[in-house]
């Protein structure tokens, strides 16, 4: 989506503005003749501002018109000639460019709205790998029954009752899904109202995730997948996210220390970080590798390397080093017969950890004044 | 040039359409805008079949606050019947609604509508047989709470449809609409894993895509057949004869009567102070005969079936009296209620005699990715205990709960992970009920002495032991 023209801006409250925009889309012809109207969307278009836009996008031509006026109703618009999804995620156009510079030159813009139909079809056939619920990633699908409520309940507790919308409890939260894969966790979080950015190292996985996402009109504008790593975006996006989730990722990371500190950097003061991973115990070797990979074939052999596993105490230590406060550590058990997960006191195989970044003097954050959602 | 003009025209019509929608309601604007993307219409949930169970499903979902931003479409083959006019005459198709069903229906206002029309409570139930003296009665303490409510089918449907109309901004009911073909519905095909929705073509040629297709299209379910669900069928070789009977000498007509005959059970369900609904399961030849004979002979045949003693088994009778004395000595506190005599039919209401064949259909699975079967589409059973429709309403309640949980977890509505939980819960409940009813049906369809003996003693044991009986009542009313 490209912003063509801003029709009107009205001020709703302290640093909250309502923008009415006309946008054009880069979709193929199918999309060109449709009218999409979207009354409420959160946009972060400057770190200082959280902007609500009410926009009507409709396309007449395929050409992208750049906006001429930059001053409407006395409010200066920094740059509107960038795609909406990028516009939403980065503080300014300069930063957007910065990220693009790091990326390979021949690569397409990464916003999911710019994927073309051909690629959707190509990757849709591969998406069965990730999205077949009885397939290879069955355990990840059913893990949603534990991790989604964990994230939901931890974040929702920060909202006041008046702000709580039962149908989309995570509305207004920005979540970074580290290692988003095929989007198994990103999509449910977006369905709960959160704006999700999934980062993933594999380009193929990103395309699979996008090809699947595009069929869900309700959430496809709230999720964006970026080919990147935590370390890469830690600098530019520091302190941007209400929550950072690294689910079933840590056990694949070679340098957990850097990984954890980068992930921590991305969390805004007052925000949360979540990990789910495998413990480094004899039992986790016996069950997590020998049984799950070689005997029961729950996951492909060679998926996990026991030496990379991190114990909860080590992880908590890493979080302490980054001045995070650990809120809970829960064990998780997988029943291979019922194929369901359940919470447990025993953290010796799988466990989940939730920690928060305290708000302290010095980092007294801008969100505190600007965002209506900050505690 | 021409092409561009055409495109422009297309654009303007679409645009004005959306403006039109915007005026109708803010809500629908949101929906329309978000879904009118590419090929055809989109709904989060499509319910195929607006019968009692399908319409109740629509009401339950519409009444669910968590689903308030979901678009729900109900496809009904029939036309919109408009406001229901209560006829003086009673219909011969009735259901025995359990208290659990009444609770479910009152949750979204349908039970209140039914109460304002016509219903009749059953306070007591008596079951006995023609080959032995054993009998069993059921009633709640003090005979105040109803065991079941007898309601005519068209009144149940009218009550639910009226409740549904009060949710009209939440559920879109499409009358005279049905899907003529489905795609992505069979999990065997490659495309179903490729595209995360079910697509169907409707009889008006339009296309509709959905995340979750609920098949509530009855015993001959098209959804079940197209999706390739494996089913178990049994033709009982029996036919049910229904009629409305006028009873003599009843003061309070609030007992449901059921007598097992070797040819099948005959049941009288009270629908007013002097009328009862007859459901007589019998052989197909006999049913033809019963429909042909004059009213007087039909009434005589009914009374004969309720009262005759010619099939009494001597051995079973003696064994039973021994067993009765024994029980009386071992459990002195056990109940021995006096037997109530069954009523006598004095007349059959004109033009209420009808018949339908009986079959058992059970689908081995209730769910597939993005498809779920509820009600008769998944399981149809013998009308012997009046459980059929209650199982369907139980499906509605359970599916509503499961979908609530799915939404709370942000799950895709059509995802198999939670649909399988629905299947597990419902099969755990439905299969024993179906097996019991099927077993009872077989047990009572013989006059072979050892079996007569076993069932007579068993029935009497249950009747005399309050604990066992309470358990059965509580199971039957869930």
């Amino acid at each position: 989506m490209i912003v063509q023209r801003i029709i009107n801006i009205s001020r709703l409250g302290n640093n909250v503005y309502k923008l009415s925009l006309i946008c054009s889309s880069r979709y193929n012809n199918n999309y060109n003749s449709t009218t999409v109207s979207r009354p409420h969307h959160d946009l972060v278009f400057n770190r200082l501002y959280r902007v609500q836009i009410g926009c009507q996008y409709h396309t007449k031509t395929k050409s992208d018109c750049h906006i001429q006026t930059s001053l409407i109703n006395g409010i200066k618009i920094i740059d509107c000639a960038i795609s909406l999804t990028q516009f939403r995620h980065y503080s300014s156009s300069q930063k957007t460019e910065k990220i693009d510079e790091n990326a390979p030159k021949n690569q397409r813009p990464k916003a999911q709205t710019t994927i073309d139909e051909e690629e959707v079809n190509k990757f849709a056939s591969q998406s069965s790998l990730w999205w077949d619920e009885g397939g290879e990633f069955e355990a990840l699908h059913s893990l949603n029954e534990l991790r989604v409520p964990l994230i939901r309940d931890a974040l929702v507790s920060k909202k006041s009752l008046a702000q709580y919308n039962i149908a989309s409890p995570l509305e207004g939260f920005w979540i970074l899904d580290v290692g988003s894969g095929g989007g198994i966790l990103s999509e449910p979080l977006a369905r709960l109202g959160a704006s999700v950015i999934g980062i993933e190292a594999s380009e193929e996985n990103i395309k699979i995730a996008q090809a699947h996402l595009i069929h869900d009109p309700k959430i496809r504008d709230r999720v964006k997948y970026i080919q990147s790593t935590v370390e890469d975006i830690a600098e530019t996006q520091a302190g941007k996210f209400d929550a950072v989730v690294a689910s079933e990722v840590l056990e694949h990371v070679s340098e957990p220390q850097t990984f954890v500190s980068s992930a921590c950097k991305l969390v805004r003061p007052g925000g949360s970080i979540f990990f789910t991973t495998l413990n480094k115990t004899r039992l986790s070797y016996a069950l997590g590798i020998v049984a799950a990979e070689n005997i029961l074939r729950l996951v492909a052999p060679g998926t996990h390397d026991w030496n990379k596993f991190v114990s909860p105490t080590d992880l908590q230590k890493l979080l302490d080093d980054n001045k995070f406060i650990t809120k809970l550590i829960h064990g998780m058990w997988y029943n291979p017969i019922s194929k369901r997960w359940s919470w447990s006191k025993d953290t010796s195989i799988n466990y989940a950890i939730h920690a928060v970044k305290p708000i302290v003097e010095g980092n007294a954050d801008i969100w505190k004044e600007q965002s209506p959602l900050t505690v | 040039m021409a092409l561009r003009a055409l495109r422009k025209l297309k654009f303007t019509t679409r645009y004005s359409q959306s403006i039109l929608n915007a005026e109708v309601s803010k809500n629908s604007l949101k929906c329309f805008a978000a879904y009118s993307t590419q090929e055809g219409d989109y709904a989060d949930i499509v319910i195929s079949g607006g019968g009692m169970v399908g319409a109740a499903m629509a009401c339950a979902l519409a009444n669910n606050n968590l689903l308030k931003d979901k678009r729900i479409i109900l496809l009904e083959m029939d036309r919109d019947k408009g406001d229901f006019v209560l006829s003086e005459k009673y219909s011969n198709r009735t259901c025995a609604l359990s208290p659990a069903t009444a609770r479910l229906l009152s949750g979204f206002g349908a039970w209140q509508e039914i109460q304002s029309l016509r219903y009749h409570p059953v306070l007591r139930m008596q079951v006995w047989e023609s080959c032995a003296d054993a009998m069993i009665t059921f009633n709640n303490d003090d005979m105040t709470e109803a065991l079941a409510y007898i309601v005519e089918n068209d009144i149940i449907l009218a009550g639910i449809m009226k409740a549904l109309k009060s949710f009209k901004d939440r559920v879109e009911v499409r009358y005279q609409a049905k899907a003529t073909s489905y795609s992505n519905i069979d999990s065997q095909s490659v495309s179903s894993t490729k595209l995360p929705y079910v697509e169907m073509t409707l009889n008006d040629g339009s296309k509709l895509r959905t995340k979750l297709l609920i098949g509530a299209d009855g015993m001959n379910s098209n959804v079940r057949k197209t999706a390739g669900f494996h089913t178990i069928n049994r033709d009982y070789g029996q036919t049910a004869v229904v009629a409305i009977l006028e009873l003599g000498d009843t003061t309070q007509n609030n007992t449901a009567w059921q007598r097992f005959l070797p040819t099948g059970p005959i049941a009288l369900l009270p629908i007013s102070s002097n009328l009862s609904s007859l459901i007589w399961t019998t052989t197909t030849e006999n049913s033809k005969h019963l429909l042909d004979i004059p009213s007087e002979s039909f009434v005589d045949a009914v009374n004969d079936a309720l009262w005759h003693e010619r099939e009494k088994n001597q051995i079973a009778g003696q064994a039973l009296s021994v067993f009765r004395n024994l029980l009386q000595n071992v459990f002195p506190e056990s109940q021995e209620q006096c037997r109530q005599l069954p009523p006598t039919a004095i007349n059959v209401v004109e033009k209420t005699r009808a018949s339908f064949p009986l079959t058992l259909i059970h689908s081995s699975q209730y769910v597939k990715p993005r498809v779920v079967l509820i009600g008769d589409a998944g399981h149809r059973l013998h009308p012997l205990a009046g459980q059929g429709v209650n199982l369907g309403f139980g499906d509605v309640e359970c599916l509503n709960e499961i979908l609530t949980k799915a939404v709370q977890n942000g799950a895709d509505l059509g995802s198999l992970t939670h649909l399988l939980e629905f299947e597990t819960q419902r099969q755990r409940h439905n299969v024993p009920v179906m097996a019991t009813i099927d077993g009872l049906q077989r047990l009572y369809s013989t006059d072979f002495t050892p079996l007569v003996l076993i069932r007579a003693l068993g029935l009497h044991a249950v009747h005399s032991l309050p604990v066992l009986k309470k358990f059965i009542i509580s199971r039957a009313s869930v």
Side-chain angles (χ1 to χ4, degrees):
Chain A
M1 298 281 177
I2 303 295
V3 179
Q4 272 193 353
R5 197 154 62 83
I6 294 185
I7 308 166
N8 191 28
I9 295 185
S10 50
R11 191 166 180 274
L12 295 180
N14 190 22
N15 288 322
V16 179
Y17 299 90
K18 186 179 173 183
L19 277 78
S20 301
L21 315 166
I22 290 186
C23 308
S24 68
S25 96
R26 269 201 207 152
Y27 274 126
N28 57 8
N29 289 338
N30 278 342
Y31 288 79
N32 271 343
S33 56
T34 60
T35 306
V36 183
S37 160
R38 213 162 297 239
H40 297 294
H41 252 262
D42 283 343
L43 267 204
V44 177
F45 87 100
N46 185 306
R47 220 182 135 179
L48 291 173
Y49 300 136
R50 182 168 282 225
V51 179
Q52 266 199 324
I53 62 153
C55 57
Q56 288 193 320
Y57 332 126
H58 38 86
T59 26
K60 288 169 185 169
T61 61
K62 274 177 121 177
S63 62
D64 308 325
C65 298
H66 284 238
I67 186 163
Q68 299 297 319
T69 342
S70 59
L71 203 70
I72 298 169
N73 288 2
I75 297 154
K76 197 178 177 210
I77 304 301
I78 304 159
D79 190 354
C80 274
I82 55 170
S83 81
L84 252 193
T85 35
Q86 287 173 348
F87 185 49
R88 194 193 298 162
H89 297 315
Y90 302 108
S91 36
S92 71
S93 56
Q94 281 84 14
K95 280 197 176 159
T96 314
E97 278 158 20
K98 220 175 197 170
I99 280 220
D100 283 343
E101 269 168 19
N102 295 337
K105 283 232 166 89
N106 59 351
Q107 206 183 311
R108 295 178 162 279
K110 291 160 191 151
Q112 113 274 331
T113 41
T114 55
I115 190 169
D116 66 32
E117 196 75 0
E118 233 172 86
E119 291 203 319
V120 168
N121 286 334
K122 186 175 144 208
F123 286 100
S125 50
Q126 294 177 24
S127 80
S128 55
L129 172 78
W130 281 91
W131 287 98
D132 178 6
E133 287 172 272
E136 200 172 322
F137 294 106
E138 187 172 21
L140 277 185
H141 280 282
S142 62
L143 184 58
N144 277 353
E145 290 184 324
L146 293 195
R147 55 187 178 175
V148 175
L150 171 77
I151 297 164
R152 178 194 68 202
D153 296 345
L155 294 182
V156 158
S157 62
K158 294 180 185 175
K159 278 190 174 182
S160 74
L161 207 60
Q163 290 167 335
Y164 184 68
N165 173 357
I166 186 166
S168 55
L170 294 183
E171 204 172 294
F173 286 106
W174 285 87
I175 299 178
L176 181 73
D177 181 8
V178 180
S180 52
I184 295 177
L185 179 59
S186 300
E187 286 195 17
L189 292 174
R191 245 177 238 119
L192 292 178
S195 302
V196 182
I197 297 187
I199 57 169
E200 165 67 40
S202 149
E203 189 184 355
E204 198 187 330
N205 283 349
I206 286 192
K207 285 183 176 164
I208 289 172
Q210 285 168 335
H212 189 266
L213 179 70
I214 208 150
H215 293 298
D216 203 330
K218 281 223 174 119
I219 57 169
R220 66 175 164 215
D221 295 326
R222 275 207 300 267
V223 183
K224 190 192 166 193
Y225 298 111
I226 303 172
Q227 186 186 0
S228 185
T229 61
V230 196
E231 291 82 359
D232 285 345
I233 66 164
E235 290 307 316
T236 51
Q237 307 296 312
K240 285 272 176 65
F241 294 94
D242 299 290
V244 171
V245 183
S247 184
E248 306 303 300
V249 173
L250 197 60
E251 64 270 25
H252 303 284
V253 168
S254 45
E255 284 178 58
Q257 207 168 349
T258 337
F259 179 83
V260 172
S261 72
S262 305
C264 287
K265 222 178 262 177
L266 290 158
V267 180
R268 70 167 176 79
S272 294
I273 195 161
F274 301 89
F275 289 95
T276 73
T277 187
L278 284 152
N279 198 347
K280 198 171 190 168
T281 59
R282 286 197 189 114
L283 194 60
S284 77
Y285 183 77
L287 294 180
I289 293 184
V290 179
E293 288 186 11
N294 301 330
I295 300 170
L296 296 170
R297 302 276 162 139
L298 296 172
V299 290
T303 304
H304 291 121
D305 173 4
W306 187 77
N307 294 317
K308 287 183 178 173
F309 290 5
V310 181
S311 73
T313 33
D314 288 349
L315 181 55
Q316 205 182 344
K317 170 85 173 38
L318 289 177
L319 289 165
D320 283 348
D321 293 346
N322 287 287
K323 302 199 170 58
F324 270 61
I325 300 164
T326 306
K327 287 281 182 184
L328 65 85
I329 302 175
H330 274 334
M332 301 188 293
W333 274 87
Y334 184 66
N335 179 338
I337 295 162
S338 71
K339 300 189 170 163
R340 304 265 158 172
W341 290 85
S342 56
W343 292 118
S344 128
K345 277 183 184 168
D346 184 2
T347 57
S348 57
I349 307 170
N350 293 83
Y351 66 96
I353 195 163
H354 169 215
V356 292
K357 190 178 209 167
I359 302 170
V360 290
E361 294 282 329
N363 79 3
D365 86 300
I366 42 167
W367 286 84
K368 194 164 186 183
E369 288 104 47
Q370 308 305 334
S371 165
L373 298 175
T374 315
V375 192
Chain B
M1 268 294 274
L3 196 72
R4 189 176 289 176
L6 193 72
R7 197 182 281 172
K8 200 166 182 180
L9 187 75
K10 207 169 151 194
F11 166 73
T12 9
T13 46
R14 290 258 182 127
Y15 185 65
S16 55
Q17 228 173 24
S18 87
I19 295 286
L20 207 72
N21 262 16
E23 278 160 11
V24 177
S25 87
K26 247 187 176 169
N27 238 354
S28 71
L29 169 78
K30 227 179 186 171
C31 297
F32 180 84
Y35 303 123
S36 64
T37 46
Q38 68 265 71
E39 52 297 292
D41 216 352
Y42 173 88
D44 293 285
I45 302 173
V46 171
I47 303 166
S48 171
M52 289 187 273
V53 172
M57 190 75 239
C59 281
L61 296 178
N63 196 34
N64 188 339
N65 250 339
L66 271 161
L67 299 169
K68 66 184 172 196
D69 61 342
K70 300 280 183 280
R71 184 159 188 239
I72 302 163
I73 294 181
L74 175 68
L75 301 177
E76 166 55 30
M77 261 166 73
D78 227 341
R79 63 189 168 76
D80 185 1
K81 293 196 187 90
D83 282 341
F84 180 76
V85 184
L86 188 64
S87 135
E88 282 287 303
K89 284 186 182 159
Y90 284 82
S91 150
N92 58 10
R93 300 302 302 269
T94 56
C95 285
L97 300 183
S98 69
T101 298
R103 269 198 303 280
L104 169 79
L105 295 180
S106 62
F108 45 78
W111 182 242
Q112 291 80 337
E113 299 292 343
I114 291 169
Q115 280 179 313
S116 74
L117 292 166
R118 190 159 63 199
Y119 75 107
H120 199 82
V122 176
L123 302 181
R124 187 171 170 278
M125 204 167 124
Q126 180 169 317
V127 181
W128 76 112
E129 62 161 309
S130 61
C131 298
D133 273 334
M135 66 134 199
I136 188 165
T137 60
F138 296 104
N139 56 261
N140 279 324
D141 302 338
D142 314 332
M143 299 263 290
T144 47
E145 262 176 87
L147 288 171
Y149 304 91
I150 310 300
V151 192
E152 293 142 81
N153 290 10
D154 51 356
I155 290 183
I156 301 176
L157 185 60
I160 297 172
M161 286 313 269
K162 195 156 183 206
L164 187 57
K165 278 184 179 147
S166 68
F167 296 116
K168 63 174 181 285
D169 55 332
R170 300 280 297 277
V171 175
E172 190 185 321
V173 185
R174 295 204 186 160
Y175 293 100
Q176 293 175 291
K178 67 171 213 175
T180 51
S181 69
Y182 298 95
S183 60
N184 298 339
I185 193 174
D186 188 357
S187 56
Q188 256 73 54
S189 75
V190 188
S191 57
S192 66
T193 46
K194 196 170 139 186
L195 297 173
Y197 50 76
V198 167
E199 191 174 65
M200 60 200 102
T201 311
L202 303 185
N203 50 351
D204 64 355
S206 63
K207 290 204 167 173
L208 185 58
R209 288 180 302 139
T210 183
K211 285 266 170 201
L212 176 64
L213 173 65
I214 301 179
D217 44 356
M219 60 181 287
N220 294 317
S221 169
N222 207 7
V223 174
R224 186 186 67 220
K225 286 173 189 159
T226 323
F229 281 91
H230 175 258
T231 53
I232 300 158
N233 291 299
R234 170 172 303 138
D235 190 344
Y236 287 108
Q238 285 179 320
T239 301
V241 174
V242 294
I244 301 291
L245 296 175
E246 200 180 315
L247 306 181
D249 63 34
T250 51
T251 43
Q252 284 170 312
N253 188 17
N254 52 26
T255 304
W257 305 92
Q258 177 147 306
R259 190 183 198 197
F260 284 101
L261 310 173
T263 48
I266 177 170
L268 287 181
L269 305 174
I271 53 171
S272 82
S273 58
N274 67 334
L275 296 177
S276 277
S277 168
L278 169 79
I279 303 168
W280 186 354
T281 309
T282 184
T283 57
T284 309
E285 306 93 73
N286 191 30
S287 73
K288 281 183 192 140
H289 170 71
L290 286 171
L291 290 184
D292 288 340
I293 56 178
S295 298
E296 296 80 36
S297 317
F298 182 74
V299 171
D300 290 343
V302 170
N303 286 333
D304 180 61
L306 288 172
W307 288 87
H308 78 78
E309 304 268 318
R310 60 179 170 270
E311 282 157 0
K312 276 273 153 62
N313 187 310
Q314 288 294 323
I315 303 163
Q318 284 166 7
L320 188 65
S321 64
V322 172
F323 183 61
R324 190 177 286 156
N325 288 332
L326 185 76
L327 268 185
Q328 203 83 98
N329 292 329
V330 180
F331 302 104
E333 76 279 12
S334 69
Q335 300 175 339
E336 179 66 14
Q337 286 182 355
C338 59
R339 170 184 294 254
Q340 262 193 15
L341 292 177
T344 314
I346 56 169
N347 194 13
V348 55
V349 179
E350 255 180 75
K351 288 179 189 158
T352 57
R353 266 188 280 169
S355 72
F356 54 92
L358 296 179
T359 45
L360 176 144
I361 298 174
H362 188 252
S363 177
S364 320
Q365 294 166 307
Y366 295 166
V367 302
K368 290 209 168 193
R370 311 207 168 276
V371 187
V372 50
L373 301 177
I374 59 170
D376 280 2
H379 44 77
R380 175 171 174 88
L381 45 84
H382 199 282
L384 186 147
Q387 283 290 329
V389 79
N390 293 315
L391 291 186
F393 286 122
D395 290 348
V396 169
E397 191 166 21
C398 179
L399 186 57
N400 188 31
E401 277 168 23
I402 297 280
L403 291 180
T404 304
K405 200 181 144 204
V407 169
Q408 281 172 337
N409 289 351
D412 181 339
L413 284 178
S415 113
L416 202 57
T417 313
H418 58 267
L419 290 184
L420 278 173
E421 206 175 316
F422 165 81
E423 183 178 273
T424 310
Q425 281 191 24
R426 286 319 287 169
Q427 293 212 334
R428 217 172 266 168
H429 183 260
N430 293 351
V431 172
V433 172
M434 295 186 75
T436 310
I437 288 172
D438 191 46
L440 277 179
Q441 202 278 329
R442 285 152 173 250
L443 183 62
Y444 278 98
S445 62
T446 175
D447 50 9
F448 182 52
T449 305
L451 283 178
V452 172
L453 194 64
I454 288 169
R455 74 197 189 204
L457 299 183
L459 198 65
H460 184 77
V462 175
H463 179 57
S464 311
L465 299 173
V467 186
L468 220 56
K469 214 152 109 179
K470 276 228 164 78
F471 174 73
I472 290 176
I473 295 181
S474 69
R475 284 289 299 175
S477 59
V478 172

